[in-house]
Each structure stands twice: as structure tokens, then as C-alpha cells.
Amino acid sequence: MTASTTETILEPDLPIIDPHHHLWDLRAMVPMFPEPQHDFIAAIAGAAHYTFDQLHADISSGHNVIGTVFMECGAFYNAAASEAMKPVGEVEFVNGVAAQSASGLYGPLQACAAIIGHADLTLGSHVGAVLDALSAAGNGRFKGIRHQGAWDADLTVLGPPFHAPEGLYSSDAFRDGFAEFAKRGLSFDAWVLEPQLADVLALAKAYPDQKIILDHCGTPLNIASYRGTLPENFDRWKASISTLAECENVSVKLGGLAMAFCGMPEDGPAKGTNSSELAAMWQPYIDHCISAFGTKRAMFESNYPVDRWGATYPVLWNAFKRITADYSDDEKTALYSGNAARSYDIEHLLD
């Protein structure tokens, strides 16, 4: 056990809804991760099997996590279904995990109270059938989708499993599917890399009534050809975030900075960086996101187990709490639970 895992929990009674975590079994997904290994693989090597037991252990490590939101990650797809319908299997699986948590046998935690699945929006208007199937599989817990658009000309930045087509969010096929999706009152999680933030801006302006949640502070990059460029790209990132925040239909998740793509810290996984050091690295990004979006359109996330590259679960939340130490009680409530509950339609967790 490293020193970082034995930190005293800060503000242990502060209620938290973790709005972004995954569940997976990478042992069954080995073909997705060919050699040579990417830093992402090193980050999750100790969490190749991450389902309810592992999540519950992390969440039970000291902070007052009252509920969570599952974020799609391409796991537990239905192999017997058509290509378009395969992602329904993921929601079916996670709904079972949510039911397990809701049984009360594991304490009051409501894990996976909201489920964000995946549907291929490039199906155009035909995606409606997939969305209907996802909704049925979620049994009231399905709240939206993520169709990630992360792309970079340097293929080593992301690695093969995550590389979306260039300009996905602007393509005609995607926009046709997004128009169908936007009729349904669901949330849309957008994951792109920092140089692509204009893609989310264009999407948000084209659909001003659609709720869009930007993942991972917009994913500033400190990996592969971007390694060492955080300082020189900070002003570009800052300007993009400020412009995007002008769209009232967009919110931002405060986190993801500990994953290998962002490289804060550069070395991982599990190198024992303490929460004070992490807070110093992350604060310029988190402070600006909160300044731009306000305390009503921002929410802290764990992005676990991906962010185990830079922090154990208790240390990650300690770092966030150091950054917000001087915030008011109302601001903390919004950032740690209220905004997530509202964004994902799980406000009953706050009753």
C-alpha cells in the first residue's frame, strides 16, 4: 500500500454523486488492445476486471458517495445481436449491476442509478430503434448516450480502440442521427480531445435545446507527440472552454486529468502522487472550467478506473476537495452532487 492510499479523508460527510465511471472485463476484450501497449493499458492493468465488486471497494474507501452514473465503454456487448444492437447488451448488464446495488445488501449506495449507453448515431434516422431498445433495457435507468469523437492525426495519442473518424460530429450521417436522438430528451456526453473542442461548439450551436455534457475538462493532452506541451497549449484550451461555456446547453465534467492521455501526473500508474500535488496540477484547469461554466454547470467525476493512472479513488476526491476548500456549502453541493443529479435525472438520490 502506498502512502497515497492512507490519506485522511477530507470532508467525509460531503455527499457525492460520481457522474462518470466504467465497468468492464478487459480479459474478454483483449483483441481491442493489440501490441504495442499504450499508456492507457498500463493505467488499467490492475483493473482489467472492473465490475461491481471492484467499484464498490473503491467507493467504500472513505468518501460519502451516495450514487453513480455509468458511462459506456464498449463492454458486455451482445455478441448475438446485429451490429447496431450490440450496445444494448452493455445497458442490460449495467442495469443488473444497478439492481444488485439497489438491493440494500451492500449499503445505501445507488451505483449506476443512471446509465449512459452507446448508439451509433451515424445510423441516421435508423438509430431510433436502437435508442428504444436501450431505453427498454435500462428499465428507467437509461438516461442518454455517449458517442465519442476523439481523433488526432498522431495515431499514438489514443491507440486503436478509441480512434473515431476525423470530424465525426460534423458529418452528415452523424448529424442525421443526432437529430433523431435530440427528439428524445436524453443527455449526450461528448468526449473529444483539446484540439477538437470546436467540434463540440459547432454541435452545441446547431442543437441549442439538446443537453450536452463535455467530458474530462475537454481532455488537455500530455501524451505521445503532445508530451510536454501543456503550458504552450493552455491558453488555446482556456479560450476554447470559455467560448464553449457561452452555450447554455453545455455542462462540463471536472476530472479525467489523471488519465494517461492528460498526463497529470506524467508518470503512472499508481506512483503514489499525493492529493496536494495533484490539486496543484489540476487547479488551473478546474478553476477555469468553474469560472467559465459556473457552479451550476460543472460536476466532479472520478473517471474510474481510467484515472487510476494518477490517483487512487480516495486521493482523487481529496484532490478535488482541496481545490474547492474555500467554496460555500451550496457551491460544493452543486459541484459534488446536485448538478450530476439534475443532469442525469436522478434527483431522487438527494431526497
Side-chain angles (χ1 to χ4, degrees), residues 150-324:
W151 174 89
D152 194 81
D154 179 357
L155 297 180
T156 64
V157 170
L158 286 161
F162 307 102
H163 215 267
E166 181 180 6
L168 174 66
Y169 289 176
S170 299
S171 69
D172 290 341
F174 179 90
R175 290 292 181 93
D176 286 347
F178 199 87
E180 178 66 27
F181 167 77
K183 299 174 183 177
R184 295 166 182 263
L186 299 167
S187 67
F188 180 78
D189 266 71
W191 180 41
V192 298
L193 307 181
E194 177 269 319
Q196 300 177 277
L197 286 172
D199 294 358
V200 181
L201 176 65
L203 187 65
K205 287 185 173 182
Y207 297 90
D209 296 325
Q210 171 60 48
K211 180 168 55 179
I212 295 174
I213 302 168
L214 176 69
D215 294 345
H216 314 327
C217 295
T219 317
L221 294 172
N222 189 26
I223 194 171
S225 57
Y226 290 90
R227 194 172 179 96
T229 65
L230 284 172
E232 67 189 71
N233 290 332
F234 182 79
D235 286 345
R236 181 179 68 185
W237 168 86
K238 185 176 180 181
S240 295
I241 290 292
S242 294
T243 303
L244 185 56
E246 294 173 4
C247 298
E248 294 291 332
N249 57 323
V250 181
S251 299
V252 64
K253 285 181 178 172
L254 308 170
L257 300 173
M259 60 181 171
F261 303 123
C262 299
M264 288 181 257
E266 288 188 344
D267 297 320
K271 295 298 184 182
T273 308
N274 65 46
S275 62
S276 295
E277 294 171 305
L278 293 171
M281 295 179 202
W282 301 346
Q283 186 153 7
Y285 293 91
I286 289 175
D287 278 354
H288 181 65
C289 282
I290 295 174
S291 175
F293 283 90
T295 57
K296 297 299 184 183
R297 288 192 291 138
M299 65 195 87
F300 283 106
E301 58 162 334
S302 75
N303 191 33
Y304 239 65
V306 183
D307 276 35
R308 72 184 296 277
W309 169 267
T312 62
Y313 198 86
V315 168
L316 181 145
W317 289 101
N318 265 3
F320 294 153
K321 289 176 178 179
R322 290 186 186 280
I323 293 170
T324 59

Side-chain angles (χ1 to χ4, degrees), residues 77 81-87:
Y77 278 17
S82 67
E83 196 64 29
M85 289 291 183
K86 287 183 188 299

Side-chain angles (χ1 to χ4, degrees), residues 63-79:
H63 294 283
N64 183 24
V65 180
I66 62 173
T68 76
V69 178
F70 168 82
M71 183 57 53
E72 68 84 25
C73 54
F76 305 109
Y77 278 17
N78 184 347

Side-chain angles (χ1 to χ4, degrees), residues 16-152:
I16 294 169
I17 293 177
D18 183 349
H20 195 114
H21 71 80
H22 308 291
L23 299 171
W24 55 40
D25 188 348
L26 298 185
R27 299 171 304 180
M29 299 165 67
V30 172
M32 287 181 61
F33 303 103
E35 296 290 345
Q37 285 195 346
H38 188 275
D39 279 347
F40 172 82
I41 307 306
I44 59 174
H49 181 252
Y50 197 82
T51 53
F52 179 72
D53 288 347
Q54 292 75 28
L55 175 70
H56 187 262
D58 281 329
I59 285 174
S60 302
S61 57
H63 294 283
N64 183 24
V65 180
I66 62 173
T68 76
V69 178
F70 168 82
M71 183 57 53
E72 68 84 25
C73 54
F76 305 109
Y77 278 17
N78 184 347
S82 67
E83 196 64 29
M85 289 291 183
K86 287 183 188 299
V88 177
E90 182 174 53
V91 173
E92 290 173 334
F93 171 80
V94 177
N95 188 53
V97 172
Q100 181 181 4
S101 179
S103 71
L105 296 174
Y106 307 90
L109 167 70
Q110 296 291 303
C112 308
I115 301 172
I116 302 304
H118 172 71
D120 181 3
L121 294 184
T122 65
L123 293 170
S125 61
H126 298 293
V127 78
V130 181
L131 294 168
D132 291 343
L134 290 167
S135 181
N139 193 32
R141 297 185 175 101
F142 172 69
K143 303 297 183 180
I145 70 164
R146 178 172 72 165
H147 190 152
Q148 67 95 356
W151 174 89
D152 194 81

